């Protein structure tokens, strides 16, 4: 870690700055204070030998950065470097950075393990954020809070600043979201607007800067003085006055106990509160969410970050090109944020989704852009280096806030900054954490879950999302205990706080008591030994007591999982979610790339059959290289096969790749989201076209390719008898079928209890499909999450299902459940379930039928 030396004429000043920087960056950073002369009377001055001693005290092979105050401090520091051993001299940098801001910025950068050059850049940028904040106020008259006239009190707006005094009424002060509204309002007028907190004496800052306004740290009751100059100064102040009266869009005394609108109701009946108003949950608090992936885990709370990225030493292009790259990265990040906002908007309250407004403002904040511009154009740095230093410097201002909630928003800024870096460096979404523990996040994209380090992450807790969201499915695939829909309070938990995640009960306990931690450990051990028994038998076929063979297959997202599936005892892959293969790609993979990827999965299966589902993008599975126009109801929009038919070239390309692999391996193809017979006919035509195109090129194709469809839209189940002659098999996608049958969005924690695949309405659709399949002599399987639920196994077998495709981790247990089932008894059970009136009644029937069966999972709300 880079060491720091602070050279000042005053020993007290050097020590004081060292103390401040240590508080900001943590005790691990090595900071040497070399202030004053070695005189008993405390004479002011600087001493080269003292500086030399300090450099040696904090020495590390990573180097040392020296910050100085003025005059002889610079000379003493230079002399000290001259006195150093030659081999060390090259690793010491003297910086002209301001002593206080520079030391704090440098300490933070050193603390996160940055290189010497990056630490120096951070120090250098320490002052620019402050300068950017203050610059717009330069032309304004001194803020005289006491004498501030009411808005409209001045008429000469060209020269005279107008001022307004408002009191912050928001319970949690002017935190990120209300501050974002103020910034939006101020930016809408042709006026230079500044804000100062007259109560605390902080500011003024530019009202166009979210970093500036929010890091004023204004609390409830504080008086703000808003000053405006320019043609629309009066209008700007009037708009801000209105906003302040309306508590910047927050209801009066919004508190955690206050009942929220219906949309916010969670399955446990408690009201969710937004991240922006959530208090930090105290020790022992149990946050109730929805079980998403079984198991229990304990560990410190961790947030996603980008970890140590390789920032190029030198810019790759001219400053203008660097700036253009940054602009493109900012735009791409804004698009990500808008997508996340749109996706959350359907699942949470508008206020929760508005958290993302603050993220958007970060992307256009001059407090970040100005220092980045200086770095790129004046210092010739790469855009990535300059941007990272600007974000680090701005985040320190948030870190320094007194209020713990407001302080925690530094994480938001860092995460947005990270997203920009990700685009700038051409990397995927942030997937690393600062250390091992329990990952907490608002929600996770499939790409983020797939990229998680299974050994570092013990469990996952999301504030939003439902148990069939793709994040939850992937968590199960990775065997990661997970809870979703735990509410916004989760996001207020500080990094490092001990959390216990119970993926069976769907709870997250904050700072659990030692006995609760021990209980989690015991459960983990018991589960491990049960699982070991099932694994020992997993390689054998699953045959019911009365001799019916049931295929236990795997849902996978790539060759690695296919290998794991074989180890878990899979009889094949019933669902390859091809969209996950290329989640991190910047462009649609071409035919060769796809053929290679599918070929790798087929090879990993060592001769077992592979069902490749064509791209099922859209709705909750956005692909970076397939930007979709925004839709009011994406789940009902252009997704799955609809998207493939709308872009036939892409589907044809995928079908050619599938056919090429099918020439050498037992492969079949499956179309997602089929709603009508016409769609299926058109898709079959495309299979023929793809075959013909390959034949023309002289590429080998299989004599016959089995074609199937996912039954996940109720219309498909209802016309299954018409579809059956056109397919070789049906695979029921109960995740979507449940969503569409019960009109309960699968990622929405608020309707998670409703979205139960064991509802008789869903079962009747499966039954109808199974009957159509049987009449036409076609195969039928289930590949939705319910196929991996041991409790449901007898019921599905009773309905006629003979292929169960699931997350590989549950294959051993499900095969055991098949072995415990009598097919004839299961048929009677299915008949009773079809006649039941609710999912709860079906579950009671099943529980009674399998009183001491293998581990069963119940869902919240049952
Ligand atoms: C389903 O809908 O049940 C299914 C298996 O498809 P996905 O979860 O990928 O939408
Ligand atoms: Mg589906």
């Amino acid at each position: 870690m880079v060491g720091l030396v602070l050279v000042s004429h005053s020993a007290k000043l050097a020590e004081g700055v060292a103390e401040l920087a240590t508080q900001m960056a943590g005790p691990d950073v090595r900071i040497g204070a070399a202030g004053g002369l070695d005189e008993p009377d405390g004479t002011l001055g600087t001493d080269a030998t003292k500086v030399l001693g300090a450099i040696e005290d904090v020495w590390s092979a990573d180097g040392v950065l020296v910050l100085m105050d003025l005059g002889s401090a610079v000379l003493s520091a230079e002399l000290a470097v001259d006195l150093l051993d030659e081999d060390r001299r090259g690793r010491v940098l003297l910086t002209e950075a301001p002593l206080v801001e520079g030391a704090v910025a440098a300490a933070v950068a050193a603390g996160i393990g940055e290189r010497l050059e990056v630490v120096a850049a951070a120090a250098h940028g320490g002052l620019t954020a402050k300068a950017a904040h203050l610059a717009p106020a330069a032309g304004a008259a001194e803020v005289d809070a006491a004498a501030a006239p009411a808005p409209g009190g001045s008429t000469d707006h060209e020269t005279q600043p107008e001022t307004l005094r408002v009191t912050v009424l928001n319970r949690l002060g002017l935190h990120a979201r209300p501050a974002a509204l103020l910034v939006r309002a101020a930016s809408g007028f042709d006026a230079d607007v500044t804000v100062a907190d007259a109560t605390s004496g902080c500011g003024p800052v530019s009202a166009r800067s979210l970093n500036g306004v929010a890091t004023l740290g204004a609390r409830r009751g504080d008086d703000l003085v808003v000053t405006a100059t320019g043609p629309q100064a009066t209008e700007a102040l009037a708009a801000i006055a209105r906003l302040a009266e309306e508590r910047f869009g927050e209801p009066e005394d919004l508190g955690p106990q206050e009942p929220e609108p219906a949309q916010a109701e969670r399955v446990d009946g408690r009201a969710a509160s937004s991240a922006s108003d959530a208090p930090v949950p105290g020790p022992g608090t149990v946050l109730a969410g929805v079980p998403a992936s079984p198991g229990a885990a304990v560990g410190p709370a961790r947030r996603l970050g980008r970890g140590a990225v390789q920032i190029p030493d030198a810019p790759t292009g001219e400053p203008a090109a660097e700036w253009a790259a940054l602009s493109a990265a900012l735009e791409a990040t804004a698009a990500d944020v808008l997508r996340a906002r749109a996706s959350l908007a359907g699942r949470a309250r508008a206020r929760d989704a508005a958290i993302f407004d603050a993220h958007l403002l970060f992307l256009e904040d001059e407090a970040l852009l100005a220092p980045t511009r200086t770095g790129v154009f004046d210092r010739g740095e790469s855009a990535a280096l300059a941007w990272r230093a600007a974000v680090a410097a701005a985040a320190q201002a948030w870190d320094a806030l007194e209020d713990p909630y407001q302080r925690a928003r530094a994480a938001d800024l860092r995460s947005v900054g990270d997203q920009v870096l990700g685009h700038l460096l051409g990397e995927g979404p942030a997937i690393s954490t600062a250390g091992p523990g329990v990952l907490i996040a608002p929600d996770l994209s499939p790409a983020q879950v797939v990229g998680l380090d299974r050994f570092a992450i013990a469990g996952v807790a999301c504030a939003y999302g439902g148990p069939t969201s793709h994040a939850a499915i992937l968590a199960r695939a990775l065997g990661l205990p997970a809870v979703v829909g735990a509410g916004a309070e989760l996001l207020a938990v500080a990094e490092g706080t001990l959390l216990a995640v119970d993926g069976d009960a769907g709870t997250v306990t904050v700072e659990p008591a030692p006995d609760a931690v021990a209980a989690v450990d015991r459960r983990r051990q018991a589960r491990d030994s049960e699982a070991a028994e099932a694994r020992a038998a997993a390689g054998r076929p699953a045959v019911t007591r009365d001799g019916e063979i049931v295929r236990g297959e795997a849902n996978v997202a790539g060759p690695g999982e296919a290998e794991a599936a074989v180890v878990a005892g899979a009889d094949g892959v019933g669902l390859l979610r091809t969209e996950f293969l290329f989640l991190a790609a910047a462009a649609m993979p071409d035919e060769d790339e796809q053929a290679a990827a599918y070929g790798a999965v087929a090879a990993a299966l060592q001769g077992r059959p592979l069902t490749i589902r064509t791209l099922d993008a859209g709705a909750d599975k956005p692909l970076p290289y397939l930007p979709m126009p925004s839709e009011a109801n994406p789940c009902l929009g252009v997704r799955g096969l609809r998207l493939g038919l709308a872009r036939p070239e892409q589907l044809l390309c995928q079908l050619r790749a599938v056919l090429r692999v099918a020439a050498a391996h037992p492969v079949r193809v499956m179309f997602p989201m089929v709603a009508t017979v016409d769609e299926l006919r058109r898709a079959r035509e495309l299979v023929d076209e793809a075959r013909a195109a390959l034949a023309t090129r002289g590429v080998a194709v299989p004599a016959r390719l089995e074609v199937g469809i996912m039954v996940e839209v109720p219309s498909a189940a209802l016309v299954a008898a018409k579809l059956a002659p056109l397919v070789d098999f049906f695979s029921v996608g109960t995740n979507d079928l449940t969503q569409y049958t019960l009109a309960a969005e699968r990622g929405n924690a608020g309707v998670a209890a409703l979205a139960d695949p064991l509802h008789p309405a869903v079962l009747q659709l499966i039954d109808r499909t199974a009957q159509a399949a049987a009449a036409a002599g076609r195969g039928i399987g289930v590949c939705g999450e319910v196929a991996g639920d041991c409790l449901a196994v007898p019921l599905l077998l009773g309905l006629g299902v003979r292929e169960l495709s699931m997350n590989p981790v549950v294959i051993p247990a499900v095969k055991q459940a098949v072995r415990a089932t009598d097919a004839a008894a299961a048929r009677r059970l299915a008949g009773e379930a079809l006649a039941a009136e609710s999912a709860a009644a079906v579950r009671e029937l099943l529980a009674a039928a399998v009183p001491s069966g293998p581990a069963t999972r119940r869902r919240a709300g049952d």
Side-chain angles (χ1 to χ4, degrees):
M1 184 188 294
V2 171
L4 304 182
V5 168
L6 310 178
V7 185
S8 166
H9 285 66
S10 155
K12 282 188 190 153
L13 178 60
E15 278 153 22
V17 175
E19 187 187 349
L20 181 67
T22 304
Q23 206 171 60
M24 297 286 187
D28 294 342
V29 183
R30 294 155 66 84
I31 306 177
L37 298 172
D38 259 341
E39 308 276 345
D41 58 357
T43 314
L44 296 181
T46 57
D47 177 353
T49 43
K50 212 167 177 180
V51 178
L52 179 63
I55 293 175
E56 276 166 350
D57 282 350
V58 302
W59 177 258
S60 108
D62 294 327
V64 174
L65 183 70
V66 183
L67 296 102
M68 302 138 277
D69 58 10
L70 60 169
S72 70
V74 180
L75 300 176
S76 299
E78 282 174 342
L79 185 55
V81 175
D82 284 345
L83 295 174
L84 266 179
D85 288 348
E86 206 177 322
D87 55 335
R88 289 193 166 185
R89 239 175 267 157
R91 293 305 294 153
V92 177
L93 282 184
L94 308 188
T95 172
E96 79 281 25
L99 185 65
V100 180
E101 290 88 347
V104 171
V108 171
I112 57 172
E114 295 289 13
R115 289 179 297 114
L116 180 59
E117 293 72 17
V118 177
V119 174
H124 197 283
L127 201 54
T128 37
K130 188 158 95 184
H133 288 176
L134 298 178
E142 283 282 315
V143 172
D144 179 355
S154 164
T155 49
D156 186 3
H157 52 63
E158 291 301 333
T159 51
Q160 289 296 314
E162 295 180 32
T163 53
L164 157 76
R165 180 188 276 262
V166 293
T167 303
V168 176
L169 302 174
N170 301 56
R171 190 172 64 80
L172 288 163
L174 202 63
H175 58 86
R177 197 161 40 77
L181 284 185
L182 191 153
V183 172
R184 282 264 181 251
S187 308
F189 296 95
D190 184 7
D192 278 339
V193 185
T194 64
V195 189
D197 184 334
T199 309
S200 68
C202 290
V205 296
S206 165
R208 286 176 189 265
S209 165
L210 177 60
N211 284 296
V213 174
T215 58
L216 284 172
R219 296 178 157 214
R220 184 186 206 168
D222 280 9
D223 279 340
L224 300 182
V225 176
V226 188
T227 306
T229 51
Q232 291 189 306
T234 308
E235 292 85 342
L237 292 189
I240 292 169
R242 257 194 321 274
L243 258 183
E245 265 168 33
E246 292 162 3
R247 293 179 170 75
F248 298 93
E250 288 187 336
E252 188 170 5
D253 272 338
L254 182 73
Q257 285 82 31
E258 182 207 23
E260 299 293 341
Q263 172 75 321
E265 289 297 321
R266 292 222 309 268
V267 283
D268 61 353
R270 282 198 308 132
S273 57
S274 81
S276 300
D277 57 31
V280 179
T285 306
V286 178
L287 304 174
V290 181
S293 175
V298 180
R302 298 292 183 201
R303 290 182 163 79
L304 282 178
R306 187 152 298 284
V309 286
Q310 281 303 316
I311 301 251
D313 282 342
T316 43
E318 290 296 306
E322 288 287 317
W323 191 255
L326 176 69
S327 304
L330 291 168
E331 263 175 40
T333 308
D336 290 347
V337 174
L338 284 171
R339 256 198 301 277
R341 191 189 197 289
S343 137
L344 193 63
R347 304 186 238 161
R349 296 169 310 163
R351 272 213 311 277
D352 288 347
I355 295 163
F356 291 108
D357 287 348
H359 292 198
L360 288 174
L361 283 175
F362 285 139
L363 298 171
E364 50 193 61
D365 197 330
E366 271 302 303
L368 299 174
L369 296 179
T372 308
R373 215 178 278 119
T374 308
V376 170
F377 289 98
D378 298 356
R379 293 196 298 275
E381 292 169 359
S382 70
L385 191 69
W387 170 258
R388 186 161 66 168
V391 170
Q396 282 158 32
W398 293 78
D399 288 337
L401 292 175
E402 266 178 47
D403 181 272
Y405 175 74
Q406 296 192 356
R407 212 165 42 229
R409 303 282 63 75
D412 290 10
L413 172 58
R414 290 195 171 100
S415 110
V416 174
D418 254 9
Q419 274 174 268
V420 174
L421 271 186
H423 282 292
L424 200 50
L425 302 173
E427 295 184 1
I431 51 169
S432 63
T433 54
V438 168
L439 175 64
I440 60 172
D443 199 355
L444 291 170
S445 71
Q448 283 172 318
V449 184
V450 169
L452 288 178
D453 178 351
R454 181 63 193 89
F455 298 103
I457 302 300
V460 171
C462 292
Y464 306 105
T468 59
S469 66
H470 286 92
I473 292 173
L474 289 167
R476 282 194 284 279
L478 294 171
L480 273 173
V483 171
V484 295
E489 298 100 310
L490 177 72
L491 303 179
V493 168
E495 174 95 5
T497 307
L498 193 68
L499 295 179
V501 169
D502 186 333
D504 298 291
T507 57
V508 182
T509 307
V510 180
E511 296 186 57
D515 54 339
V517 174
V520 167
D521 272 341
R522 280 196 301 278
R523 277 182 51 200
R524 209 175 36 219
Q525 279 163 18
R527 180 179 287 275
D528 286 352
S529 61
E530 226 176 63
E533 265 176 47
R535 270 201 307 272
R540 292 192 275 115
V543 184
T544 63
R545 283 199 199 151
D546 42 354
E548 300 253 1
I549 297 174
V550 178
R551 298 187 63 80
E553 302 196 316
N555 295 349
V556 304
E561 285 184 18
E563 272 169 35
V566 170
V567 173
D571 299 322
V573 160
L575 169 61
L576 171 63
R577 288 185 165 103
T578 55
E579 56 278 10
F580 292 115
L581 275 172
F582 299 119
L583 266 177
M588 183 81 179
D590 64 22
E591 186 187 312
D592 287 346
E593 287 169 309
Q594 293 192 44
Y598 309 146
V601 176
L605 291 177
Q606 300 163 25
R608 293 170 182 80
L610 165 63
T611 305
I612 301 180
R613 179 175 74 181
T614 59
L615 191 62
D616 184 24
D620 60 341
K621 286 178 275 190
L623 287 182
Y625 49 84
L626 268 190
M628 315 269 191
S630 84
E631 297 174 310
N633 292 299
C635 291
L636 304 181
V638 184
R639 55 166 300 198
L641 180 60
R642 299 166 188 188
L643 187 69
L645 296 180
R647 300 171 189 235
E649 277 315 313
Q650 283 175 1
L651 183 52
L652 277 168
C653 170
Q654 186 167 32
L655 289 171
R656 288 193 302 271
V658 171
L659 279 160
R660 277 167 55 176
V661 178
H665 299 276
V667 164
R668 55 186 197 171
V669 73
M670 175 162 80
F671 295 110
M673 281 292 294
V674 174
T676 68
V677 177
D678 279 349
E679 285 172 345
L680 175 58
R681 281 209 186 95
R682 178 71 191 122
R684 292 214 63 132
E685 280 166 18
L686 291 178
V687 175
D688 293 341
E689 276 179 47
R691 176 187 285 280
L694 289 174
T696 312
R697 278 164 37 195
V699 177
V701 287
R704 187 166 186 281
L705 176 70
E706 280 195 23
V707 175
I709 61 165
M710 303 267 306
V711 176
E712 45 191 351
V713 181
S715 63
L718 293 170
V719 298
K722 304 280 181 225
L723 293 164
L726 298 171
V727 297
D728 295 294
F729 64 95
F730 289 126
S731 183
V732 184
T734 45
N735 305 337
D736 278 315
L737 186 62
T738 307
Q739 149 167 277
Y740 295 125
T741 304
L742 288 143
E745 192 193 6
R746 60 194 275 184
N748 186 338
V751 292
L754 197 57
D756 193 326
L758 297 187
H759 192 282
V762 181
L763 302 181
Q764 285 171 31
L765 292 171
I766 300 176
D767 181 49
R768 190 171 173 121
T769 310
Q771 291 196 24
R778 306 297 196 252
I780 176 159
V782 169
C783 64
E785 287 303 292
V786 76
D789 185 344
C790 294
L791 189 70
V793 165
L795 172 56
L796 296 176
L797 300 193
L799 289 170
V801 173
R802 288 294 176 270
E803 287 175 22
L804 296 170
S805 192
M806 65 207 93
N807 287 310
V809 277
V810 288
I811 288 175
V814 167
K815 281 190 157 183
Q816 294 279 70
V818 170
R819 293 179 190 122
T821 302
D822 178 88
R827 272 190 287 279
R828 286 192 295 279
L829 182 69
E832 287 176 52
L834 286 168
E837 70 163 40
S838 67
V842 172
R843 287 182 181 278
E844 266 169 35
L845 271 173
L846 299 183
V850 195
S852 57
T856 56
R857 263 189 307 120
R858 288 176 66 84
R859 297 167 48 137
D862 293 343

